[in-house]
Amino acid sequence: MCLRGWSRTRQAFAERDLPLRANVPKRSNRSCFPKQDFEIDLETFSCTCSAGHVTTDLHTQGHGPRGDLRQSFRFAAAVCDLCPLRSQCVSASRGRGRMVTLHPQAGLLQAARAFQSSEAAVPCRQLRQTAEHRIARLVQLGLRQARCVGRQKTALQLHMTATVANFPRILAARPDPTISGWL
């Protein structure tokens, strides 16, 4: 089962009190500071930029396609126009301030990013890397597409491919001189 760290998946896991250790997708804002460079405090509903300016101006813009409330923090144009980091932060013309959109599951994503950068995430990262390398090997051996029609034949292809992928590891674990002559 492929799990990504998207917000809907995180929300579904949180509702069932299950831990999700998938990475949070990285977002970029082209040449401007990304949203991750802003400190968003969900308890006081404030947002602090890289230059240290704080705003509590939270605007609601209706609902998104999934019914989620769309909100964003807005920095005053007068503050952004005088900021020395403006060219790195705002792509809009002068007279418009920076806007930082608040994700509907911002709390879950902040907690996941905090876990992702902690020492507790190291074993999870190593386990994930091992699993992804094994899956990549199966894809190299042709498992991306089923060669036959039907669940049983597809399952047989999976088992055969897994056997071929694990055969070198099996030989390395049990060196038997009678089998090594076959290769």
Side-chain angles (χ1 to χ4, degrees):
M1 176 195 240
C2 178
L3 293 177
R4 298 213 174 187
W6 304 108
S7 60
R8 285 185 287 165
T9 307
R10 288 196 185 281
Q11 183 67 35
F13 272 65
E15 289 170 358
R16 292 175 182 83
D17 281 337
L18 297 172
L20 177 61
R21 300 298 183 220
N23 289 336
V24 180
K26 293 182 180 178
R27 302 280 187 202
S28 67
N29 194 18
R30 291 170 284 197
S31 61
C32 298
F33 290 134
K35 184 166 84 170
Q36 286 80 17
D37 289 353
F38 290 81
E39 185 179 321
I40 299 174
D41 187 356
L42 295 174
E43 292 177 9
T44 61
F45 287 104
S46 65
C47 182
T48 307
C49 73
S50 300
H53 303 293
V54 179
T55 185
T56 56
D57 188 10
L58 184 64
H59 286 264
T60 302
Q61 301 149 335
H63 295 279
R66 293 186 191 95
D68 296 328
L69 194 61
R70 296 177 72 184
Q71 296 177 314
S72 62
F73 287 102
R74 294 188 183 184
F75 287 88
V79 172
C80 289
D81 284 345
L82 298 175
C83 183
L85 300 176
R86 186 187 197 318
S87 62
Q88 299 169 325
C89 184
V90 182
S91 60
S93 61
R94 293 237 179 241
R96 298 190 67 161
R98 173 71 188 252
M99 187 170 71
V100 179
T101 305
L102 183 63
H103 196 279
Q105 285 90 21
L108 290 173
L109 293 173
Q110 283 180 349
R113 281 191 183 96
F115 173 78
Q116 190 172 319
S117 62
S118 71
E119 284 296 318
V122 172
C124 294
R125 246 191 322 268
Q126 291 170 343
L127 183 63
R128 182 180 179 96
Q129 180 182 11
T130 303
E132 287 183 359
H133 283 169
R134 300 285 180 250
I135 292 169
R137 178 66 182 138
L138 292 173
V139 169
Q140 287 175 346
L141 292 171
L143 196 64
R144 186 177 298 275
Q145 183 175 352
R147 304 292 180 226
C148 302
V149 178
R151 287 185 182 179
Q152 289 179 336
K153 291 179 182 178
T154 305
L156 176 65
Q157 179 187 348
L158 169 65
H159 293 299
M160 294 297 289
T161 306
T163 302
V164 169
N166 287 320
F167 197 65
R169 295 180 67 217
I170 293 169
L171 286 178
R174 298 182 71 198
D176 188 356
T178 59
I179 295 177
S180 63
W182 296 351
L183 301 175

